[in-house]
Amino acid sequence: MTPASTGASSTLGAAVPADRRPDPRLTPGGPGYRRMSFALFLAGVATFALLYSTQALLPLISGDFGVTSSQASWTVAAATGGLALFVIPMSALSERFGRRTVMTVSLAVAVGVAVLIPFAPSLTALVALRAVQGAALAGVPASATAYLAEEVRPRALITAIGLFVAGNSVGGMSGRVLTGWVAQEWGWRIALGALGLMAVGCAVAFRLLLPAPRNFTPGSLRPRVLVATVRGHLADPLLRRLYAIGALFMTVFGGVYTVIGYRLTEAPFSLPQGVVGSIFLVYLVGTVSASTAGRLVGRLGRRGALYLAGGTTAAGLLLSLAGSLALVLSGLVLITAGFFAGHAVASSAVSKAATVGRAQASALYQSAYYVGSSVGSTVGAVAFHAGGWGGTVGVGLLAVVGVVGITVVGSRAAARVVPRVA
């Protein structure tokens, strides 16, 4: 029987207007949100654990290969530099082949390299493998924030990205603590092997848990389209400021955590390697500050949250100059809290500000962010070699001044026009 013969409306089969359709994106408490959050949390754990796997072991690597702190720091800088270099090409691949696919392949290659790294016969080989590993890991940050921007409702985006950043902090912490204690008993090579096995488990669980994307639309791989998209993002003053803020925050963080192992293993502290590795438990503070970034922005606004993050980081740097171990640790707590809060705020602002080419916008942020890490780890180590811990702190304070200055410029610009991002 036809609709007319039954008296039913002939519009039953008509399409529902787009503005009246239920939003298919994930929301806290809804189906799939917890699986998605936990999967990306594990991806963040694996990424940061692998990316900075040698950082807590630098004194041992220096001793084994007979090199200086600045030379050993290249095992960190090579990985972050490789990531910074490849994050934009990886973002283009994610636009074409999908965020989940690129993240899966990236983690698979990275954990495969992790199995080879413990057998590196020289510092040169170790640095080369770390560069390849960093390039492989580029697919995770290049795709994760774009995946969240497409699959999560806007009001929950900052919280979701904060959880991913929290996974970064847990990965950074667990990797350093694990390698510190294992290296104390069996050496840095066994420690890196154990970390690689942990990352394999995270990668497998990630692929099994992450929901298939429902809102992804494949894009083009044409170089002209990619170049035009990147050029458009770089021409945006707001995005440029956010990229610079991410790079400067990471300059502080990369410098401090690359050098802190040397400071704590030397006089007057002379701590054993396992205890130095456990110092990275302060990353738990970053887990909290990153996951609560959404509430912080709700109370202070984005610029207010960035001012607070910068001020907290600067206070931690100054406190770390003290000769007391308790005060040094307190300084690390403040540095970590300020950094992760600032990073979560800036990265979520990029995802919200970019209405097209989100993967490229996020990739540019990640590229700037990891360039900052490479610069921080190298310059921080050089400054430590030349002037001790005070030199590293000086580099960090200059970076924080840059964050505050850029935020002031953004505040003045927002006073003249209606801002896209509060």
Side-chain angles (χ1 to χ4, degrees):
M1 297 174 65
T2 65
S5 65
T6 60
S9 171
S10 61
T11 62
L12 281 176
V16 179
D19 58 352
R20 295 184 181 179
R21 295 174 190 166
D23 192 333
R25 290 175 290 185
L26 301 173
T27 187
Y33 183 87
R34 289 184 178 179
R35 286 182 57 205
M36 178 274 298
S37 297
F38 188 50
L40 287 177
F41 177 85
L42 291 175
V45 169
T47 299
F48 246 54
L50 293 176
L51 193 63
Y52 294 98
S53 58
T54 62
Q55 198 171 56
L57 305 174
L58 292 180
L60 295 179
I61 293 172
S62 291
D64 192 13
F65 291 123
V67 298
T68 66
S69 60
S70 56
Q71 290 173 313
S73 71
W74 278 103
T75 63
V76 179
T80 55
L83 191 153
L85 185 63
F86 278 84
V87 70
I88 293 176
M90 287 293 191
S91 73
L93 292 176
S94 81
E95 291 281 8
R96 179 65 183 88
F97 298 108
R99 323 300 186 192
R100 188 172 71 160
T101 298
V102 169
M103 286 189 282
T104 300
V105 174
S106 292
L107 285 174
V109 174
V111 298
V113 174
V115 175
L116 299 176
I117 281 177
F119 303 100
S122 65
L123 180 64
T124 300
L126 178 58
V127 169
L129 286 170
R130 294 282 291 146
V132 173
Q133 190 173 53
L137 287 170
V140 179
S143 307
T145 51
Y147 176 94
L148 289 169
E150 292 165 350
E151 303 299 326
V152 176
R153 295 186 187 182
R155 294 182 64 180
L157 182 58
I158 294 179
T159 300
I161 290 179
L163 288 172
F164 174 66
V165 174
N168 292 345
S169 70
V170 170
M173 175 205 69
S174 59
R176 290 162 173 87
V177 173
L178 173 65
T179 56
W181 284 107
V182 173
Q184 181 172 304
E185 297 296 328
W186 296 288
W188 65 268
R189 295 180 185 274
I190 299 297
L192 291 180
L195 186 65
L197 292 178
M198 183 193 79
V200 169
C202 288
V204 171
F206 160 81
R207 184 60 181 84
L208 294 175
L209 290 172
L210 189 69
R214 295 183 292 179
N215 303 297
F216 170 72
T217 301
S220 173
L221 271 178
R222 289 180 296 173
R224 183 178 299 177
V225 174
L226 176 62
V227 170
T229 302
V230 169
R231 185 180 298 162
H233 291 325
L234 291 176
D236 188 320
L238 171 59
L239 289 175
R240 286 203 305 267
R241 290 194 295 269
L242 292 170
Y243 297 153
I245 286 171
L248 290 168
F249 266 124
M250 196 53 163
T251 297
V252 181
F253 199 68
V256 166
Y257 277 100
T258 294
V259 171
I260 191 64
Y262 289 99
R263 189 188 185 200
L264 295 179
T265 54
E266 295 176 356
F269 304 114
S270 302
L271 299 179
Q273 186 64 47
V275 175
V276 170
S278 296
I279 297 299
F280 291 93
L281 285 169
V282 298
Y283 265 50
L284 289 172
V285 176
T287 304
V288 175
S289 67
S291 60
T292 58
R295 279 178 284 175
L296 187 64
V297 171
R299 293 182 180 181
L300 303 176
R302 294 188 190 275
R303 288 182 294 277
L306 288 173
Y307 284 130
L308 179 59
T312 302
T313 303
L317 286 167
L318 293 172
L319 191 60
S320 72
L321 289 169
S324 163
L325 181 60
L327 292 179
V328 171
L329 295 181
S330 298
L332 289 177
V333 167
L334 292 178
I335 292 167
T336 304
F339 161 73
F340 276 106
H343 169 42
V345 171
S347 61
S348 62
V350 169
S351 296
K352 187 172 181 180
T355 56
V356 296
R358 283 195 179 100
Q360 281 73 44
S362 297
L364 284 168
Y365 175 84
Q366 297 292 336
S367 181
Y369 175 79
Y370 286 109
V371 165
S373 178
S374 295
V375 170
S377 60
T378 302
V379 175
V382 170
F384 179 77
H385 188 69
W389 181 250
T392 303
V393 168
V395 171
L397 288 174
L398 285 175
V400 172
V401 169
V403 169
V404 173
I406 292 169
T407 307
V408 169
V409 170
S411 298
R412 291 178 177 175
R416 294 192 297 268
V417 297
V418 177
R420 297 205 317 267
V421 180

